[in-house]
């Protein structure tokens, strides 16, 4: 079985008519609109709902992921692949909270994976911003280069990846370092409007003024964005 450590899921949220929810709950069973890697179809819109996910409420900041000893023993004997996506990515997050979730949480997930007897792969979702204030070409093996960081999100994700790398000899690991993730490359669909979408929403709201929008900053500046479907396909290709 696969273990997916993810943050902020509300088991009561979502429904058959809500196309922006990945999960629905029916009779305490999670229904998931599946992604078929053989055809590369993320299927955000018109998808078939299949019973193939069980949602467990835990806390990666606690020992045993906050799941209880009985459930942990069961999972340690069953889990073959683990995906660690749980993190706080608010750029204004307080340091203590960022450390508990991003660093201590990663320690606990890695410790769980180290004990999982059938584990084949641990997929850790890091971020390209572990490079901090570095500029130019940054290679994947250049993690600890004395770089500074702009916020506690970057610094704690950097510390988390160090933990993951230090366990490579005991845990078979894949590290994913995405940039700013945006919606589907074909449809533009997204299940959350944060990050760069704040600016887009503002621009859309200002159109009622019917005045030309001034350029803010360098109009030719580049920004690191990655569409969700591309990220999913890339992750699946590396994992498989």
């Amino acid at each position: 079985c696969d273990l997916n450590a993810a943050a902020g899921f509300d088991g009561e949220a979502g429904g058959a008519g809500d196309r922006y929810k990945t999960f629905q709950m029916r009779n305490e069973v999670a229904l998931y609109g599946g992604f078929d890697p053989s055809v590369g179809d993320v299927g955000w819109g018109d998808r078939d709902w299949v019973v193939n996910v069980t949602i467990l409420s835990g806390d990666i900041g606690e020992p045993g992921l906050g799941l209880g000893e009985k459930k942990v023993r069961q999972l340690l004997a069953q889990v073959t692949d683990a995906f660690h996506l749980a993190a706080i990515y608010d750029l204004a997050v307080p340091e203590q909270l960022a450390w508990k979730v991003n660093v201590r949480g990663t320690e606990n997930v890695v410790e769980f994976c180290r004990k999982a007897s059938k584990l084949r792969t641990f997929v850790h979702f890091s971020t390209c911003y572990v490079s901090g204030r570095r500029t130019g070409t940054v290679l994947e093996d250049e993690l600890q280069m004395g770089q500074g960081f702009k916020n506690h999100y970057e610094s704690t994700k950097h510390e988390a990846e160090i933990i993951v790398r230090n366990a490579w000899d005991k845990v078979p690991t894949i590290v994913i370092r995405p940039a700013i993730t945006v919606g589907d490359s074909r449809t533009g669909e997204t299940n959350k409007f944060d990050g760069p979408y704040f600016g887009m929403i503002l621009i859309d709201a200002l159109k009622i003024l019917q005045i030309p929008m001034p350029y803010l900053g360098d109009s030719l500046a580049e920004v690191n964005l990655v569409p969700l479907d591309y990220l999913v396909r890339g992750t699946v290709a590396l994992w498989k």
Side-chain angles (χ1 to χ4, degrees):
C1 82
D2 295 346
L3 175 69
N4 180 5
F9 171 68
D10 179 357
E12 298 301 319
D18 188 346
R19 64 202 303 248
Y20 295 112
K21 296 296 182 183
T22 304
F23 298 96
Q24 347 174 351
M25 297 297 292
R26 293 182 186 170
N27 299 324
E28 297 184 353
V29 175
L31 305 186
Y32 171 63
F35 151 65
D36 183 353
S38 66
V39 296
D41 182 11
V42 178
W44 287 110
D46 298 327
R47 55 183 155 184
D48 295 325
W49 293 91
V50 292
V51 182
N52 65 351
V53 170
T54 300
I55 302 295
L56 302 175
S57 179
D59 182 349
I60 64 169
E62 300 297 329
L65 310 182
L67 295 173
E69 292 184 9
K70 182 178 179 180
K71 180 56 66 175
V72 168
R73 286 197 301 269
Q74 178 185 352
L75 290 172
L76 288 176
Q78 295 178 344
V79 169
T80 57
D81 300 270
F83 295 78
H84 178 30
L85 296 89
I88 290 182
Y89 61 90
D90 182 352
L91 300 185
V93 63
E95 182 177 12
Q96 185 175 0
L97 179 58
W99 190 89
K100 178 183 178 182
V101 176
N102 295 347
V103 180
R104 174 61 58 80
T106 297
E107 284 182 336
N108 291 335
V109 172
V110 169
E111 179 64 13
F112 175 93
C113 290
R114 188 182 65 81
K115 295 178 180 178
S117 59
K118 296 182 180 179
L119 187 76
R120 297 178 304 199
T121 311
F122 168 50
V123 182
H124 172 67
F125 280 77
S126 184
T127 171
C128 68
Y129 294 101
V130 296
S131 301
R133 296 182 180 275
R134 291 190 64 194
T135 59
T137 301
V138 177
L139 302 180
E140 61 269 23
D141 60 347
E142 297 178 342
L143 180 60
Q144 295 176 268
M145 304 295 291
Q147 66 268 39
F149 300 98
K150 300 175 183 177
N151 49 62
H152 299 312
Y153 166 71
E154 292 183 356
S155 63
T156 54
K157 289 293 287 183
H158 174 262
E159 192 172 345
E161 190 174 321
I162 293 174
I163 293 169
V164 171
R165 284 173 172 259
N166 287 340
W168 272 2
D169 60 335
K170 300 175 183 177
V171 180
T173 302
I174 296 172
V175 174
I176 309 294
R177 282 189 189 170
I180 300 170
T181 305
V182 294
D184 189 282
S185 64
R186 298 160 297 181
T187 67
E189 282 189 79
T190 182
N191 65 341
K192 55 185 179 180
F193 288 89
D194 55 11
Y197 289 100
F198 287 133
M200 298 178 192
I201 294 171
L202 175 61
I203 292 173
D204 183 66
L206 290 176
K207 69 183 180 182
I208 62 175
L209 299 178
Q210 297 184 348
I211 59 175
M213 283 290 296
Y215 280 119
L216 301 176
D218 184 356
S219 61
L220 299 179
E222 296 181 347
V223 61
N224 292 315
L225 303 176
V226 56
L228 176 61
D229 55 318
Y230 180 88
L231 176 57
V232 170
R233 291 191 187 98
T235 300
V236 170
L238 292 170
W239 169 51
K240 291 295 186 180

